[in-house]
Amino acid sequence: QKKHPKLSQIGYYDLCFVGVFFSSWDETHFGKMGSYYINRTFFFDVHPPLGKMLIGLAGYLSGYDGTFPFQKPGDRYEQHNYIGMRGFCAFLGSCLVPFAYLTVLELSKSLPAALLAAFILIFDTGCITLSQYILLDPILMFFLMAAVLSMVKCNSCADRPFSASWWLWLSLTGVSLAGAMGVKFVGLFVVLLVGLNTVYDLWDLLGNLSLSLVMFGKHLLARVLCLIVLPLALYTAIFAVHFAVLNRSGPGDGFFSSAFQSQLIGNNLHNVSVPEHLAYGSVVTMKNLRMAGGYLHSHWHLYPEGIGARQQQVTAYLHKDLNNLWIIKKHDSDTDLSDPSSPVEFVRHGDIIRLEHKETSRNLHSHQHEAPLTRKHFQVTGYGINGTGDSNDFWRIEVVGRKTGKLIKVLRSQVRLTHVATGCILGSSGKTLPKWGWEQVEVTCTPYLKETPNSLWNFEDHINPKLPNISLDVLKPSFAEILLESHMVMIRGNSGLKPKDNEVTSKPWHWPINYQGLRFSGVNETDYRVYLLGNPVIWWLNLVTIGLYLLITVCTAVALKRGLPRFWKLSRVVLRAGGQITLGWLLHYLPFFMMGRVLYFHHYFPAMLFSSMLTGITWDAVLKFCAGFLSPSTTARRVYGGGFLALVLLILYSFYLFHPLSYGMIGPMASNPSSPMAGLRWMDSWEF
């Protein structure tokens, strides 16, 4: 306070303590999802469920009742017991330090290298910030590092295969892979790392002429069981628990199929009885299969002047509504099929039908006018009077994977409607119409015949008094179908993630240079602010290390060619110990350059773990190499110790300067010259 009176009258440590009572950044997502598990409410997320399940379990065991709303960052927790969830994430985050220590120690056989790697993770402000909140990142990194440590430990047991320790570490590798994949799909990168290591081991064993083919087969079978079968079984079990716990209707219903929704308690389809097969005269609703695609909908409003033909609007609507109801009619007959005396005639795959809007009595219609928003797509309208229109009202109904003449099932059959006159396919573009369209979703007829969820529909509600009803339980999907559907929805959700307005996103080339951080809480001078940014000395040292490692790799080839034994000794140590770590860094970093989804700074932290371990290995070897030129040995030890101590002190001093980013700041922003943090804004892109 004496040094920086503008910080306010609150003491610094009091400020840190007060700050933990506020929710932060992605806690509003993952904390809320933990609450959903406690309340058994179904929700949708683009990541697999294990991380949120563990957060919910930690909250439940620590006395949290699942009632905090998690509406926006900065909300006070008040009397809600959030400590268990944060403490759980902090514990897993703290485990990264011993995992890194043991991994580097096993690879390099050097205690100083292992200590340096652990020291880097202890004093990195970014790792501290990520670990102190309710987030998926510390859980993901825990399983990732556990998989790497188990893999390295298993490799060290290669001289005693099929021993108890060998089986233990091989099995733990498989368990950790399932855990990493169960938290986020980026866990695939560590699966790939372990897979490449396994292929290398098996190739080496295959080249061992003293090893019989029977013994090689045992090695192969052991790896299949522990690294493929075991992780897949555990990964599947995670989803089985997920669907068993979340059995109540919630905000995630609309992302899934009607058949899946019928299993959720409280959903309007739960315990409902409807006719099983579609017939002419049935009143139905049609749900688009794209994520949050909505129901086929129409209303009395017309398209405005200049937007195609001035006919009745047809849209996709995300909510239940009477304007979602359509009557299935024959294309060439106006017979009143509601007459109880008329025979039942089922709709079959390949039939040409009309869909009459129940509320307005206009037919679903398309023509070669351009759609309102999507270029080169045709407009879809409601046309005609009391069901009387023209040939542009005719649609061929086709069921995916069915043969001509097969009946069409409610909920289960995936259908497409092909416009007979133009050959286009009815679909939802996913684009939101302007206010004249009541901000509902655009429906178009696409001339491009590529089969996507946008152009597929299923029948949900089905009313036909002439047909017997069956319980929707008969049509419920199997667990395998639910598992496949959930992955398709997650993949589509991930690929559809785009930056929101005023959202701080970043590019992969920003990450290693610590170019731009991420605000975790607070945006104003009076707010308690936490800012995600790596310790600059550590991150830039890691970046230099990667360049140094590549230089050593190049020089190794020269040393081998020219016969330089001293340098070859250095490079052999670095390359042997750092090879797997460097591969891990590449696998966890380079794929992001090819991703089309929105990216954030925190996506780099798994790769940062590998670069930190590589720093410990490389600088230990380089200092030993430099000290090796000196004699006597006491001088060499002093040079080595001095260099090591200089690195440690540099990291410590940088942490001392930047630790308020993790533990909280208040007062003017660093861009203000009067701010006590102004001198630490080494890059203009840092916005703390």
Side-chain angles (χ1 to χ4, degrees), residues 8 21 28 68 93 98 121 129 149 178 226 262 294 297 322 388 395 421 491 529 570 582 620 637 679:
S8 83
F21 290 104
T28 55
F68 185 71
L121 294 184
T129 303
L149 174 61
C226 293
S262 68
H297 177 96
L322 289 176
T388 302
W395 302 84
I491 290 169
R529 303 192 304 276
L570 160 74
T582 305
D620 173 67
R637 283 196 297 270

Side-chain angles (χ1 to χ4, degrees), residues 172-344:
L172 285 177
T173 304
V175 171
S176 301
L177 292 180
M181 272 291 297
V183 177
K184 282 188 176 184
F185 282 131
V186 294
L188 275 170
F189 301 150
V190 77
V191 172
L192 184 57
L193 175 64
V194 172
L196 291 173
N197 176 78
T198 303
V199 169
Y200 177 82
D201 284 346
L202 290 173
W203 181 256
D204 191 48
L205 289 170
L206 189 62
N208 186 352
L209 298 180
S210 63
L211 194 71
S212 68
L213 285 178
V214 173
M215 186 57 67
F216 175 78
K218 290 181 179 179
H219 275 279
L220 178 62
L221 181 61
R223 286 160 173 80
V224 168
L225 289 174
C226 293
L227 301 180
I228 298 178
V229 176
L230 177 61
L232 284 177
L234 292 175
Y235 183 75
T236 304
I238 290 167
F239 279 88
V241 174
H242 169 72
F243 292 122
V245 172
L246 302 182
N247 62 354
R248 299 182 183 277
S249 179
D253 294 17
F255 292 92
F256 285 77
S257 68
S258 306
F260 176 83
Q261 293 181 46
S262 68
Q263 300 179 90
L264 299 174
I265 299 171
N267 188 281
N268 65 296
L269 295 176
H270 185 64
N271 284 338
V272 171
S273 296
V274 297
E276 181 178 9
H277 296 107
L278 257 63
Y280 289 102
S282 292
V283 178
V284 298
T285 60
M286 291 178 61
K287 188 174 187 295
N288 189 253
L289 297 190
R290 78 179 303 276
M291 190 171 61
Y295 298 91
L296 187 65
H297 177 96
S298 188
H299 41 233
W300 287 103
H301 303 281
L302 306 181
Y303 287 101
E305 289 287 349
I307 306 293
R310 190 167 167 76
Q311 297 176 6
Q312 185 169 294
Q313 295 176 18
V314 172
T315 64
Y317 189 48
L318 299 178
H319 306 283
K320 296 284 186 178
D321 190 277
L322 289 176
N323 282 322
N324 299 342
L325 296 174
W326 299 81
I327 305 170
I328 301 179
K329 293 194 170 184
K330 291 186 174 182
H331 75 286
D332 56 354
S333 172
D334 290 321
T335 305
D336 183 9
L337 297 173
S338 62
D339 183 356
S341 62
S342 62
V344 173

